[in-house]
């Protein structure tokens, strides 16, 4: 199936999206188009230009993210670059967004995607640090799951030598998150003990690698038993199962922990807080407990809100503890923080001290598969999306996808509690 | 007035306290008296031994702390030392305790006092690091405002060369608090901005000195206008008045602050939280707002509890902020932390980088004056108590004290809101 055919298929089912709207998404604030961009092809060619995009067309299950073909060449405005995307990262926040639980994003239709890696194909006026041909990765709150992306140059970072596009796309969100959690919020020190949930996931893998850089850290990580050997080899000192983590940790470390990293939300935050030693630090940075299946589960949400961690000043004083909240999506404006953290991470990558672990690679057509893999916690490491069509597999994929969508509809409301 | 006469006077008004009870206070857990202590004087001499003690006899105003004379020589048990106390520090927590608001202490009668400095006069079995004649300072939750103190050797620290007893008594609580607040909880980094309330107080002075050790720190400090010049000279970058601190800080630092240290409680905690930049850190470590006068003010307490800061996980996540609670009284068991922090502070003292600022020195008879001075925020630096009788001033003091006690009774219920 050609790009044009794919487009026609999508347009049957949903309203056509305006390319101008989409190209604006990653950089809403820059409203002045530049007249002298690097993309200097004749107007007719620009109009004929098409690119593939994964668009959230409504809140719900895996089928709400549709492959669409956009038309018309995006032209970088002042301060922007155009990236030919080679690989994208999938994050838990994308699953949250698909269910309509990420209040920070505009309503659908909207192109999803918080990170990508690719090659700069054009630069807008005033861009000095990037040039055509540069390999870069980019982060933003959404809009990066596209074959071609426009984004502010300040949201891009030059890829280090020797890194693949897949690895580069796996890099920014997970490693920035892990770095900020450990070193800017929890202030990890030598010989401390840390608990991270979903230790086999993207953030969990990055946390594990970064903990290894600090002397004598004891890392507890929850994951399903089938992943324990893999995460132990990765560097988790004590792989434990989610179902019994409080008891397991108390047995091994009766005095409690120095740091708890909680992406789960709900009652786990309180349990993590209770596991802390005096002067211990909890960082709450997600609510994966709300994602029990492909679609919004109102019961799980209600349970999570009912059990939401809450603390008052006096109780906090008497505990001598620290609670931190972290949400990368609300930090995008803090450019200095990003520059500093990515700079340090790239240095660590170049020194061979950290290396993204890619779990699996899926073409855009397989985005449902990719999301399901993450939703069902089957991944060990990062799930990657490729914009480029998988021509050999195309017909097979389409058939498979249709079958899956039917299955999804049947499964949508089933809560899945295992393997947090 | 001799010690015996003072004793007789006290005993008129209140129940006689058993010396055995008092001597046990600082070391409740050691129940085995040692038979071979250094205090080897004959039994008759031991019984005749007396020492002065500031005893909280009930909750209320300044008159509830009474000077009493205890009889019988305290004998250090295993692991304990006996200290001949030369100077004691007064802390906000002592005022809180007097009003019955410090739930961690046993009920009256109880000897108050969280810190003292003096000379080791006897050591119990098994004490290796301290010997008779050592100059030491000690910290504990209570029980140290006495001429002679028994305490576990692990709660004592050797005084550095050249420090006076007054300075040494001013050292432990304020500097440990300031160090823990800044470096263990708020994780102060170069070029950050800090707000500390009651900047002219003991903790405020210590915070100011420690902030000067970190490059490029901007320190905002609230104090009444009359103290601004003094705290500016001490190192506060921006002395500001409590009444307008939110506006004043917003004018100078529109993006907000990196760190807020809040000893006030109530609505100030939320205001401090709101003043933080993303990734900023608030430490709540007291509720001075509850102390509006000598006696418990139910209205102020109700207002404080009504306005108590409370935060939920999701709001914390979306703010990307950190909230910490600190209470030294709940950290006394963390010996490693104490050793580390006091070790670092003593090193800084020896290097001339920190120096306790003594506001005023009061004999035990003047404890009411001392507490009033702190309550009314008249002090700049530390208020010190001396166990030794002030013989020259004795008769004058007594007359003054009686007049004050009458005044207190009249003033007891007046809230005083100024100069937090």
């Amino acid at each position: 199936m050609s790009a044009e055919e794919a487009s026609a298929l999508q347009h049957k089912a949903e309203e056509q999206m305006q390319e101008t709207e989409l190209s604006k998404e990653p950089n809403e604030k820059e409203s002045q188009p530049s007249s002298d961009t690097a993309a200097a092809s004749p107007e007719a060619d620009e109009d004929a230009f098409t690119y593939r995009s994964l668009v959230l067309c409504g809140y719900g299950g895996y089928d709400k993210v549709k492959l669409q073909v956009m038309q018309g060449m995006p032209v970088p405005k002042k301060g922007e670059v155009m990236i030919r995307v080679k690989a994208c990262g999938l994050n838990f926040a994308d699953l949250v967004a698909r269910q309509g639980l990420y209040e920070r994003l505009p309503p659908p239709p909207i192109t999803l995607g918080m990170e990508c890696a690719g090659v700069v194909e054009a630069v807008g006026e005033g861009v000095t640090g990037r040039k055509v041909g540069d390999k870069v990765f980019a982060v933003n709150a959404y809009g990066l799951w596209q074959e071609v992306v426009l984004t502010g140059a300040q949201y891009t970072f030059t890829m280090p030598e020797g890194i693949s596009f897949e690895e580069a796309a796996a890099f920014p969100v997970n490693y920035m998150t892990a770095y900020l959690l450990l070193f800017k919020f929890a202030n990890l020190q030598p010989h401390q003990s840390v608990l991270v949930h979903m230790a086999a996931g993207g953030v969990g893998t990055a946390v594990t690698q970064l903990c290894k850089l600090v002397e004598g850290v004891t890392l507890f990580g929850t994951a399903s038993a089938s992943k324990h050997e893999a995460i132990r080899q990765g560097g988790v000192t004590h792989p434990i199962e989610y179902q019994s983590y409080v008891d397991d940790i108390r047995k091994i470390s009766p005095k409690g922990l120095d740091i708890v990293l909680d992406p789960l939300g709900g009652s786990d935050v309180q349990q993590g807080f209770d596991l802390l030693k005096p002067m211990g630090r909890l960082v709450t940075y997600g609510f994966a407990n709300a994602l029990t299946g492909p679609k919004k589960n109102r019961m799980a949400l209600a349970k999570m809100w009912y059990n939401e961690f809450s603390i008052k000043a006096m109780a906090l004083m008497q505990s001598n503890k620290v609670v931190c909240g972290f949400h990368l999506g609300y930090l995008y404006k803090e450019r200095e923080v990003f520059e500093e953290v990515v700079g340090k991470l790239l240095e660590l990558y170049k020194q061979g001290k950290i290396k993204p672990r890619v779990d699996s690679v899926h073409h855009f057509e397989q985005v449902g598969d990719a999301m399901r893999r993450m939703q069902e916690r089957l991944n060990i490491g990062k799930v990657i999306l490729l914009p480029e069509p998988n021509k050999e597999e195309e017909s097979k994929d389409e058939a498979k996808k249709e079958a899956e969508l039917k299955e999804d509809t049947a499964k949508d409301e089933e809560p899945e509690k295992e393997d947090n």
Side-chain angles (χ1 to χ4, degrees), chain A:
Chain A
M1 186 173 66
S2 72
E4 283 74 10
E5 284 165 348
S7 174
L9 192 69
Q10 298 293 342
H11 291 177
K12 274 184 211 163
E14 69 240 12
E15 209 177 356
Q16 180 164 2
M17 300 179 67
Q18 298 301 309
E19 54 92 2
T20 48
E21 275 178 13
L22 260 172
S23 73
K24 257 159 56 188
E25 280 173 0
N27 38 73
E28 301 157 318
K29 281 168 198 166
E30 305 284 348
S31 59
Q32 292 298 317
S34 58
S35 53
D36 54 352
T37 61
S41 47
E43 219 170 88
D45 286 4
E46 285 185 11
D47 289 348
F49 184 91
T50 62
Y51 57 97
R52 292 148 48 95
S53 177
L54 288 175
V55 179
L56 179 67
C57 299
Y59 301 131
Y62 305 131
D63 59 328
K64 297 297 182 189
V65 181
K66 313 262 191 203
L67 178 60
Q68 297 194 344
V69 174
M70 304 298 164
Q71 206 158 13
M73 184 176 288
V75 177
K77 300 183 196 75
K78 190 175 174 180
E80 289 184 349
V81 297
M82 185 177 99
I83 303 169
R84 171 69 57 174
V85 177
K86 301 296 185 181
C88 307
L90 175 55
N91 288 288
F92 238 89
D94 299 311
L95 306 187
V96 169
R98 199 198 62 233
Q99 295 197 7
L101 303 175
Y102 190 177
E103 75 304 317
R104 197 170 168 269
L105 299 194
I110 171 184
T111 298
L112 289 181
M114 302 170 68
E115 59 192 344
C116 68
V119 180
V120 174
E121 233 173 45
V123 299
E125 191 190 356
V127 171
T128 53
R130 306 282 176 271
K131 62 181 189 306
V132 174
D134 280 358
K135 291 181 177 178
V136 296
F137 57 82
V139 278
N140 217 316
Y142 60 99
L144 302 185
W145 287 353
Q146 291 196 145
E147 229 178 338
V148 171
V149 153
L150 282 190
T151 187
Q154 75 271 29
Y155 299 109
T156 67
F157 301 90
T158 306
M159 281 168 52
E161 284 289 314
I163 196 169
S164 69
F165 288 116
E166 285 83 353
E167 280 183 336
F171 190 78
V173 170
N174 289 165
Y175 282 82
M176 280 172 63
T177 297
Y179 189 95
L180 286 162
L181 290 176
L182 288 172
F183 301 117
K184 295 287 179 178
F185 284 85
N187 193 18
L188 176 64
Q189 300 293 313
H191 307 292
Q192 289 192 327
S193 52
V194 180
L195 163 66
V196 65
H197 288 292
M198 304 202 292
V203 173
T205 305
V207 162
T208 304
Q209 292 180 8
L210 289 173
C211 279
K212 284 166 73 179
L213 305 183
V214 180
E215 192 190 341
V217 168
T218 301
L219 179 61
F220 293 82
T222 62
S224 56
S226 62
K227 297 177 182 177
H228 282 191
E229 192 46 37
I231 63 172
R232 192 193 312 277
Q233 283 182 12
V236 174
T237 325
H238 300 291
I240 50 181
E241 288 193 68
Y242 169 76
Q243 286 74 6
S244 57
Y245 76 91
V246 173
D247 291 343
D248 291 352
I249 290 170
R250 284 276 175 221
K251 274 178 210 153
I252 298 169
S253 188
K255 287 188 178 174
L257 303 173
D258 294 297
I259 292 170
V260 172
L261 306 178
D262 186 286
L264 303 177
S267 59
D268 285 298
V269 185
Q270 183 68 54
Q271 289 183 313
F273 184 83
D274 294 342
L275 275 172
L276 292 176
K277 289 179 192 170
M279 301 180 65
R281 292 157 182 265
L282 170 93
V283 195
T284 172
Y285 65 101
F287 46 97
N289 278 339
L291 299 189
T292 58
K295 274 195 191 173
K296 184 155 78 179
N297 178 335
R298 290 183 196 283
M299 189 60 86
L301 273 172
K303 191 175 160 193
M304 207 193 62
W305 292 124
Y306 182 78
N307 291 316
E308 191 188 9
F309 177 77
S310 173
I311 191 148
K312 293 185 172 190
M314 188 59 71
L316 196 60
M317 267 177 64
Q318 293 178 348
S319 71
N320 274 301
K321 290 178 183 176
V322 177
V323 291
C324 320
F326 172 75
H327 193 312
L328 193 66
Y330 288 84
L331 271 184
Y332 283 114
K333 287 182 188 168
E334 308 297 318
R335 296 312 307 161
E336 286 174 20
V337 174
F338 270 51
E339 294 287 342
E340 180 202 333
V341 171
V342 173
K344 286 188 175 161
L345 287 168
L346 290 180
E347 197 51 45
L348 291 170
Y349 177 84
K350 287 173 195 165
Q351 293 167 3
K353 290 180 176 168
I354 57 174
K355 187 175 168 63
R357 176 173 187 152
V358 174
D359 168 75
S360 52
V361 174
H362 310 255
H363 288 266
F364 268 13
E365 293 84 349
Q366 303 157 320
V367 63
D369 283 354
M371 292 189 294
R372 180 198 303 279
R373 187 162 176 84
M374 191 159 200
Q375 172 70 60
E376 296 181 357
R377 276 75 156 176
L378 299 174
N379 58 308
I380 300 183
K382 189 75 176 184
V383 177
I384 294 293
L385 296 168
L386 300 181
E388 200 172 295
N390 185 9
K391 293 190 175 162
E392 289 172 19
E393 296 287 329
E394 255 171 25
S395 51
K396 204 163 72 186
D397 285 348
E398 282 302 307
K400 192 177 165 200
K401 197 176 169 192
E402 273 174 35
E404 280 168 10
L405 292 183
K406 278 179 202 160
E407 198 187 328
D408 282 356
T409 314
K411 281 182 78 176
D412 268 1
E413 294 294 338
E414 277 177 39
E416 293 157 37
K417 285 300 297 176
E418 276 191 45
D419 193 11
N420 277 306

